[in-house]
């Protein structure tokens, strides 16, 4: 391997999780590498710990015994015991450096540090462990997040290394990125799982904090560039489940319907699996009520899309 290749292989990525034996995010059995950092702030985000590209401490208050062990070992002075209440609290303005000493010192498992810098070589070691599953099932590796395209150099290096080893690759993306970052990873990506959250740009901004013009442009670039794309639509009742919402998506995708690289639409029903994480991070959860859809709702939306001869599937976790 050339010196350039060695330098690329040792890039580092900020990740927050690696999940094995996934069956939902791409074909076959997959290993998911979750990249930390995201430009969107979706109100329903199920991985709030993925949003900021930095180390963060998650805190389970109900498990804490206020022993102060974390205070004595933290070199960044993130923790303290309040002199007024004698309970654990975080020091305002402090920044976790990811040493994990507090996590190790906590005997009640109330603390966990999110975020880890991994070299491409280290990630490949984990990925290679499940090669037999990929080969039998037609699976491979999916890069998720957060948003992969916030770390395009590391992502493209990892994807390239996987392709060199004959491992199928996919990325899950919100599509909000510079075109050059998108095309940098596209060269080594077998499938894009591309989120479409709302077709109306004003409403998209209200829900995610960004407008959708560049997202639509990037999707068009991928489809016209003959890159394989599976469109995914997170669904929330009263947010983007009206027939008019679905109709606008269909109208946008109709010119691409017969492209061989357009792999159809996945519907992703809202779930509450990430709600408890907000408490652990000291954040408010910004979805009021329960926007879950019933099976009848999902069947109805699926039939709306089938009416236009689009391949469509509801992904139920």
């Amino acid at each position: 391997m050339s010196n350039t290749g060695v330098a690329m292989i040792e890039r580092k990525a900020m990740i927050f999780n690696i999940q094995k034996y996934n069956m939902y995010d791409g074909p076959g059995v997959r290993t998911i590498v979750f990249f930390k950092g995201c430009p969107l702030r979706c109100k329903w985000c199920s991985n709030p710990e993925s949003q900021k590209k930095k180390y963060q401490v998650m805190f389970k208050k109900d498990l804490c015994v206020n022993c102060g062990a974390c205070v004595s070992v933290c070199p960044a002075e993130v923790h303290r015991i309040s002199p007024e209440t004698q309970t654990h609290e975080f020091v305002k303005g402090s920044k976790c450096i990811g040493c994990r000493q507090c996590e190790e010192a906590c005997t009640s498992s109330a603390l966990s540090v999110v975020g880890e810098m991994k070299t491409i070589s280290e990630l490949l070691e984990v990925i290679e462990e499940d090669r037999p599953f990929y080969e039998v099932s037609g699976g491979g590796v999916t890069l998720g997040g957060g948003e992969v395209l916030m770390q395009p150099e590391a992502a493209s290096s990892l994807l390239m290394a996987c392709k060199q080893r004959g491992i199928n690759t996919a990325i899950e993306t919100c599509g909000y990125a510079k075109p050059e970052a998108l095309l940098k990873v596209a060269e080594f990506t077998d499938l894009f799982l591309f989120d479409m959250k709302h077709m109306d740009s004003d409403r998209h901004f209200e829900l995610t904090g960004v407008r959708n013009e560049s997202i639509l442009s990037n999707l068009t670039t991928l489809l016209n560039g003959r890159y394989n794309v599976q469109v995914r639509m997170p669904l929330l009742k009263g947010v983007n489940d009206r027939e008019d919402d679905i109709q606008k998506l269909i109208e946008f995708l109709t010119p691409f319907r017969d492209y061989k690289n357009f792999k159809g639409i996945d519907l992703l029903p809202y779930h509450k699996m990430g709600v408890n994480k907000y408490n652990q991070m000291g954040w408010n959860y910004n979805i009021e009520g329960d926007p879950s859809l019933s099976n009848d709702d999902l069947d109805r939306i699926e039939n709306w899309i089938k009416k236009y001869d689009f391949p469509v599937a509801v992904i139920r976790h």
Side-chain angles (χ1 to χ4, degrees), residues 70-242:
C70 56
V71 179
S72 60
V73 299
C74 179
E77 299 182 346
V78 170
H79 312 272
R80 76 168 193 160
I81 297 296
S82 167
E84 290 81 19
T85 64
Q86 297 302 306
T87 58
H88 174 280
E89 63 184 23
F90 292 102
V91 178
K92 289 184 178 180
S94 62
K95 295 181 180 180
C96 175
I97 60 173
C99 70
R100 288 182 159 74
Q101 291 188 53
C102 64
E103 184 179 281
E104 294 166 5
C106 182
T107 59
S108 59
S109 301
L111 297 169
S112 59
V113 176
V114 184
E116 193 170 5
M117 294 301 297
K118 289 283 191 182
T119 65
I120 303 305
S121 297
E122 289 171 331
L123 294 171
L124 284 171
E125 284 184 19
V126 178
I127 290 166
E128 284 281 6
E129 291 172 357
D130 292 327
R131 178 182 284 273
F133 294 101
Y134 312 148
E135 293 174 348
V136 169
S137 68
V141 174
T142 299
L143 308 188
E147 175 49 56
V148 177
L149 298 178
M150 284 191 70
Q151 301 183 58
E153 299 289 346
S156 61
S157 296
L158 180 55
L159 292 165
M160 180 181 68
C162 288
K163 292 302 296 175
Q164 289 171 343
R165 288 158 174 75
I167 298 174
N168 178 274
T169 60
I171 75 165
E172 184 180 16
T173 179
C174 70
Y176 189 80
K178 293 180 179 179
E180 53 266 33
L182 180 73
L183 294 175
K184 189 175 190 68
V185 303
E187 183 180 354
F188 310 110
T189 302
D190 292 315
L191 177 66
F192 282 88
L193 303 168
F194 199 107
D195 281 1
M196 293 294 291
K197 303 175 193 298
H198 208 288
M199 290 300 298
D200 181 84
S201 190
D202 290 337
R203 185 66 171 136
H204 195 281
F205 182 83
E206 291 174 11
L207 295 169
T208 71
V210 305
R211 302 186 69 83
N212 71 0
E213 286 84 359
S214 63
I215 294 172
L216 298 178
S217 176
N218 282 334
L219 178 57
T220 300
T221 296
L222 290 177
L223 289 168
N224 282 334
R226 295 305 192 259
Y227 297 103
N228 293 322
V229 178
Q230 186 101 27
V231 170
R232 313 183 99 190
M233 189 173 188
L235 285 176
L236 293 85
K237 195 173 186 68
V239 174
N240 60 356
D241 65 322
R242 299 178 309 166

Side-chain angles (χ1 to χ4, degrees), residues 21 32 48-49 63 67 101 160 175 181 187 193-194 212-213 226 241 261 266 283 289 294 296 305-307:
Y21 316 121
I32 315 296
E49 76 277 24
L63 296 181
C67 66
Q101 291 188 53
M160 180 181 68
E187 183 180 354
L193 303 168
F194 199 107
N212 71 0
E213 286 84 359
R226 295 305 192 259
D241 65 322
N261 60 310
D266 284 345
W283 295 0
S294 68
D296 287 343
I305 297 172
K306 283 181 176 178
K307 193 168 60 175

